Amino acid sequence: MSGLLGARTCSHPGEVSDLKSPLGAKIREPLTEARFQQIFGGAEQEPELLAEPRWYPLCRLWRQRARACTGPGAWRLLLARLPPLRWLPHYRWRAWLLGDAVAGVTVGIVHVPQGMAFALLTSVPPVFGLYTSFFPVLIYTLLGTGRHLSTGTFAVLSLMTGSAVERLVPEPLEGNLSGIEMEQLDAQRVGAAAAVAFGSGALMLGMFALQLGVLSTFLSEPVVKALTSGAALHVLVSQLPSLLGLPLPRQIGCFALFKTLAAVLTALPRSSPAELTISALSLALLVPVKELNVRFRERLPTPIPGEIVMVLLASALCFTSSLDTRYNVQIVGLLPGGFPQPLLPNLAELPRILADSLPIALVAFAVSASLASIYAEKYNYTIDSNQELLAHGVSNLISSLFSCFPNSATLATTSLLVDAGGNTQLAGLFSCIVVLSVLLWLAPFFYYLPKAVLACINISSMRQMFFQMQELPQLWRISRVDFAVWMVTWVAVVTLSVDLGLAIGVVFSMMTVVCRTQRVQCLALGLAEGTELYKPLRESHKLLQVPGLCILSYPTPLYFGTRGQFRCTLEWHLGLRGGKEMPKTDSPPNAVAEPVRVVVLDCSGVTFADAAGAREVVQLASRCRDAGIHLLLAQCNGESLSAGDTNSGRTPGQSDPRTAVCECPGCSGACPGETGAYRSKDLHNVGMTWSFRIWRAPNNVCEEGHGP
């Protein structure tokens, strides 16, 4: 009823309508759905498939699998699963090789100190960070589709893995472990970290087998950025004991950040002046170098490797000054050369680590897929999300056999790779050569490297994650809902833990999607005179409307969660709430509302309808018929029509939806003219335009209307 008030109307019965038709509008004969299918035909369908048995699609699938075993089929499968076979024949050796070599060497130089630093976050010896900077990079070069993606150790994953390792293999309460006991503890923690990587890889391979690459879309951009920003704060706080030279146990679980801060403040008088000085000097060098690399990105031929310079200077200073013996500065110590012996992780631990492997697998894939997509759009190539699942799954699974911890694409090294001129995955091979040379020949040079320097490298590598908070004002202006998702995720990550924060962020972001469908309004539309534009009546008092006709737009899916709102809104507009006061409108005081006799419901926004929504439409059509109102549905999609045409969804006393509801682009034979209220009707859908003409009994006066 409210849709008729506050709008200009056409002529009354017996008068000539002054409603102007849109430009180029043509009057045609009524076109039903059956007539439309007869003239234009339906979807193409092979005749022989109409009589297929139900088991025939399964047989066809098996035949497709069998054809893959032939020579051409096997080659196509090999091309799909080994991307270098596609891009390597088209590689521009003269144009790209130098850029890939420089970028790979630059990233490899950064991988060395960063890998050792992130190993400390994982609670394993530094050399295992070098292993994680070699094997996963090599495997992704062979299987990945991201040309500009740099994989390896990632601070967020290292932090999450370290929390799991500390919980699975806690340090004895008595402390003061002997050398042998410390080696046994490190071996157990390395095995736990490798088991987490094995579980994450197995989960990603399972997702690949089920073709679940689309799951990365459920981790929205605000969730990922808030997660990484909150994790960066965890990294900063967790490195404070190493910066100050305080031998404090690592805090895990909820509120670990605040527990660590309290422990650091309590033990602050016992901090080591020597390590505090080393940390201050390291940050004084690393932070300005990071800023210079960002500010002069276009002018520098290659980024300044501040990390490796700091590592060399600190190692030389510690060696010449004997800081480890004179001031008890914690150093890296001996890095074993070569590679570890392949070892299958303890499968008995898998049930215990699955709860940790799942969020790590989701974060690893989400961060990697989002980074790959960003640079793929920038450089105009495509990313196969399912192939990315395979690449990262195999990377984590195989590298876990060599005692590596979980890995993924990294923000800092990916940006460094692009800035240094990388073009393809071939840059990963040059990066592996640098790490390999360290493992085979250069490892002894890092013996005197202070661990405080590695802590400073961890903190300086978080620069990009901290600066993501600068986007919050812009996010507030663009979308308050996304801003709320960002803040809720960040607060949950900081106050609770990274795992719980991720779960809360995903659940909250999905709840916002559901809440948005609950808050959509059903709008009454009117025609802008002389145009084909239909706008909400509340936006202008000059819109035209046919008396007795109400055009409504309902732009949201119709399912069990919105059926109640759908019913209340339609009852409000059509005046079907008996005994209740009608809502107020913006109509003039002397406006007299004519009762609604026909309602056109635009269903273009109803992308799907479940059984509950279909039953709601049937019940609404029945109530409209009892009230003398004809309900017409416009622009229904196929799924909505099939949902409303199921016999299993009807309750006793309900009629077939096709006897009460006319479906666009025509009706299904149940024209309102059959009831005697109107003698003819034409509901037409051409693109975004409706046209209808109604002859009103008994004077046969034609009224026309048009809408988007």
Side-chain angles (χ1 to χ4, degrees), residues 280-330:
L281 293 176
S282 300
L283 290 176
L285 175 65
L286 291 173
V287 174
V289 168
K290 290 282 187 181
E291 291 297 325
L292 288 175
N293 286 334
V294 173
R295 291 180 180 271
F296 300 98
R297 177 182 304 173
E298 303 297 334
R299 300 181 183 180
L300 293 173
T302 183
I304 303 173
E307 291 87 351
I308 197 65
V309 172
M310 189 67 247
V311 165
L312 295 177
L313 290 177
S315 299
L317 178 63
C318 185
F319 173 73
T320 56
S321 303
S322 301
L323 297 179
D324 56 325
T325 57
R326 295 174 59 183
Y327 299 100
N328 198 25
V329 173
Q330 298 294 319

Side-chain angles (χ1 to χ4, degrees), residues 6 35 38 54 82 150 265 299 308 324 333 341 361-362 420 472 502 538 545 572-573 580 583 666 670 697:
R35 180 61 175 164
Q38 181 181 359
R54 295 183 178 180
L82 288 178
S150 174
L265 292 176
R299 300 181 183 180
I308 197 65
D324 56 325
Q341 183 179 359
L362 292 178
L472 286 179
L502 172 63
R538 65 182 184 182
Q545 192 175 26
W572 187 88
H573 278 283
K580 294 187 178 181

Side-chain angles (χ1 to χ4, degrees), residues 159-176:
L159 184 68
M160 298 172 68
T161 306
S163 299
V165 169
E166 292 282 350
R167 191 187 71 255
L168 295 172
V169 188
E171 187 174 352
L173 297 178
E174 59 272 10
N176 296 324

Side-chain angles (χ1 to χ4, degrees), residues 537-553:
L537 293 176
R538 65 182 184 182
E539 295 184 3
S540 175
H541 65 282
K542 297 182 180 181
L543 298 176
L544 305 178
Q545 192 175 26
V546 177
L549 175 67
C550 182
I551 302 177
L552 302 175
S553 175

Side-chain angles (χ1 to χ4, degrees), residues 149 216 219 221 224 364-376 411:
L149 210 61
S216 62
L219 289 178
E221 183 178 349
V224 174
F365 175 60
V367 172
S368 302
S370 61
L371 274 177
S373 299
I374 289 173
Y375 287 101
L411 302 175

